Amino acid sequence: MKNHIAIFFVFVSILFFQSCSSQNTTDSKTVDTLINSGELTFFAQRANPTNYDVINIMNSIPNSTSTRVLDLSGGNYTIELKKDNLEVVLPYFGRLFNPSLGNVDKNSYRFTSKDFTVSKSQNKKGNWVIKIKPNDVSNVSDIIMEVFKNGKAFVSMRSSDRQPISYDGYISNNEIPKS
């Protein structure tokens, strides 16, 4: 009987500490303010490749989970949206139809756009959908960002020279550069 009580207390303490961990959430008013201002930063936490070659390689690694999610912690992968500037720094995992052998930066999403259009809409559940179309970047056709009420976000990238990929993360204020 004492073993059952000890196991129960261990289980309850694990649940308690799990609920106390930080979760990077924001209140809905702050999210609405960020979206309406048109200036925000998306911080990617996970990449979700759609290419089955990448998924099969990930599943063949010993002691790995059989999910198709890549943890991006440790990197500063962002989409920074300003009124006159869009800066994207995201990794890419998948099939490239026109790979660049000499320049690795062209194989990931690393670009700055000055000519882009942004359209915003809100669905019935209160989630925001932001569609960004860069006009001066040749290989990216659309960036679709769905922002939930708690600040979490889901980004889908569509390109003309590679398979689609999506990212999970959260949005925040743009960082003010230190002078």
Side-chain angles (χ1 to χ4, degrees):
M1 181 70 174
K2 290 183 182 181
N3 289 340
H4 294 295
I5 293 173
I7 292 172
F8 176 74
F9 280 119
V10 168
F11 182 73
V12 168
S13 64
I14 289 172
L15 286 177
F16 176 75
F17 288 117
Q18 178 80 16
S19 66
C20 291
S21 64
S22 69
Q23 299 190 1
N24 288 337
T25 59
T26 311
D27 65 335
S28 62
K29 291 181 182 178
T30 306
V31 171
D32 290 343
T33 305
L34 282 172
I35 301 292
N36 289 328
S37 73
E39 297 201 0
L40 58 93
T41 301
F42 167 76
F43 292 94
Q45 294 176 314
R46 287 173 293 282
N48 308 307
T50 58
N51 185 341
Y52 281 104
D53 294 335
V54 173
I55 295 168
N56 289 335
I57 290 170
M58 289 175 17
N59 291 339
S60 68
I61 297 173
N63 299 326
S64 70
T65 60
S66 61
T67 61
R68 58 184 189 130
V69 176
L70 294 168
D71 188 26
L72 299 177
S73 62
N76 192 17
Y77 301 114
T78 60
I79 297 176
E80 188 174 359
L81 178 63
K82 296 180 181 176
K83 294 195 183 294
D84 59 347
N85 192 20
L86 172 69
E87 187 171 339
V88 177
V89 178
L90 291 172
Y92 180 74
F93 307 97
R95 177 171 286 171
L96 292 167
F97 301 119
N98 298 319
S100 175
L101 299 177
N103 191 354
V104 178
D105 287 343
K106 290 189 177 187
N107 292 336
S108 61
Y109 290 114
R110 294 181 191 270
F111 62 88
T112 302
S113 175
K114 302 271 186 200
D115 181 22
F116 58 92
T117 58
V118 178
S119 64
K120 302 176 238 179
S121 63
Q122 196 170 16
N123 62 15
K124 292 179 183 178
K125 294 182 181 179
N127 300 336
W128 287 93
V129 177
I130 303 169
K131 295 180 182 179
I132 306 168
K133 182 165 180 51
N135 298 323
D136 57 351
V137 179
S138 62
N139 61 348
V140 177
S141 58
D142 286 321
I143 302 170
I144 300 171
M145 184 183 306
E146 183 175 4
V147 181
F148 301 98
K149 289 188 263 187
N150 63 357
K152 297 286 185 179
F154 180 80
V155 171
S156 176
M157 302 281 288
R158 221 173 345 164
S159 299
S160 59
D161 67 342
R162 59 190 80 188
Q163 290 181 329
I165 188 169
S166 60
Y167 303 91
D168 294 325
Y170 62 96
I171 63 165
S172 180
N173 289 328
N174 287 342
E175 294 180 5
I176 300 170
K178 297 176 184 175
S179 43

